[in-house]
Amino acid sequence: MSLQEKLDAFKTDFEAGKPPYNMTRAMIETMHRATAELIASGAVQRALKAGDKMPAFTLSDTEGNKVSSANLLAKGPLVISFYRGVWCPYCNMELRALQEALPQFEALGATLVAISPQSAANSRKSVRQNNLAFPILSDVHNDVATAFGLRFALPDYLVDLYKSLKNDLPAFNGDPSWTLPMPARYVIGQDGTILYAEVNPDYTRRPEPEDMLPALRRANIKAA
């Protein structure tokens, strides 16, 4: 099955109220409302697109080591996945799909990193839970997500729902703001130009890892 087919199958069970989540119809409708409002806000239009320059960044990995975009790009093209956190089942499924595709990225000389606002401890949990062999970087306060145009604030009614579900984002992220990045996938050429961009305000929709391969091949041709 494709990544999206897996996500759709999970969503069907999740929205049907099946264990272990046991969601009610009212909860699901609240989530749908928040997604619809984010889509209607036009926030995705403010996100960086193919042809834009990537903002430089330096973030910490799960062990506290500083990782800079300049050093990553010095090795070759860069694949970046922005995700919400280890608490998001859709994100975990995407991370596992990216792990499966990692050999294809590396064969094209690319480095893959994932970025989330969560703490290093929760990023380590992401690595363990999903058996990842690529770095997860902590974007404290969503500063890098803001530079990419991805950061948004959760509406109060969704905050209330998350609190009722014990989904405490300030605790996960070490940040009181109740903000998240829209899930996004980027391919960056070695000159810092964005060659591929896929941003979706509907967190249940994710591109296939293989969708980035043409952009990575173009990056190699350009570099040559």
Side-chain angles (χ1 to χ4, degrees):
M1 289 201 304
S2 70
L3 170 59
Q4 192 58 56
E5 287 170 340
K6 293 176 183 177
L7 294 172
D8 290 342
F10 171 82
K11 183 178 180 180
T12 297
D13 288 346
F14 181 82
E15 296 194 347
K18 293 185 178 181
Y21 297 96
N22 303 311
M23 301 298 291
T24 68
R25 176 44 49 188
M27 292 174 179
I28 297 300
E29 288 175 354
T30 297
M31 293 177 177
H32 286 176
R33 174 187 172 190
T35 299
E37 289 179 357
L38 184 58
I39 293 170
S41 75
V44 71
Q45 301 303 321
R46 296 188 285 275
L48 294 184
K49 301 173 179 62
D52 292 336
K53 283 290 184 178
M54 181 199 74
F57 62 81
T58 299
L59 295 173
S60 296
D61 66 13
T62 54
E63 303 306 319
N65 302 307
K66 297 297 184 182
V67 178
S68 74
S69 55
N71 287 342
L72 293 171
L73 288 172
K75 303 174 185 177
L78 178 60
V79 176
I80 303 175
S81 175
F82 284 89
Y83 76 104
R84 299 173 351 135
V86 69
W87 52 270
C88 172
Y90 297 93
C91 295
N92 290 322
M93 294 173 76
E94 178 184 19
L95 290 174
R96 290 193 290 271
L98 288 170
Q99 175 62 39
E100 290 178 8
L102 183 60
Q104 293 175 276
F105 301 152
E106 292 178 339
L108 292 168
T111 300
L112 167 65
V113 299
I115 298 176
S116 90
Q118 67 191 357
S119 67
N122 283 306
S123 291
R124 288 193 292 273
K125 185 177 179 182
S126 280
V127 171
R128 291 194 307 271
Q129 187 171 298
N130 298 297
N131 296 312
L132 305 180
F134 57 87
I136 294 181
L137 308 180
S138 291
D139 180 20
V140 180
H141 310 305
N142 277 300
D143 290 337
V144 175
T146 299
F148 274 79
L150 304 173
R151 180 181 184 267
F152 71 97
L154 276 65
D156 289 343
Y157 63 84
L158 188 60
V159 171
D160 290 342
L161 174 60
Y162 275 29
K163 287 179 177 177
S164 75
L165 296 172
K166 304 294 190 292
N167 200 1
D168 188 348
L169 294 191
F172 277 113
N173 300 341
D175 172 23
S177 68
W178 285 95
T179 62
L180 288 173
M182 290 181 286
R185 199 91 58 73
Y186 289 96
V187 173
I188 317 294
Q190 284 192 269
D191 64 354
T193 301
I194 297 172
L195 304 177
Y196 169 98
E198 181 67 35
V199 182
N200 202 322
D202 181 352
Y203 60 87
T204 69
R205 308 290 304 174
R206 310 289 171 107
E208 300 300 322
E210 293 76 15
D211 292 351
M212 294 180 290
L213 296 179
L216 289 172
R217 295 187 183 102
R218 290 198 304 274
N220 284 333
I221 293 171
K222 187 175 181 180

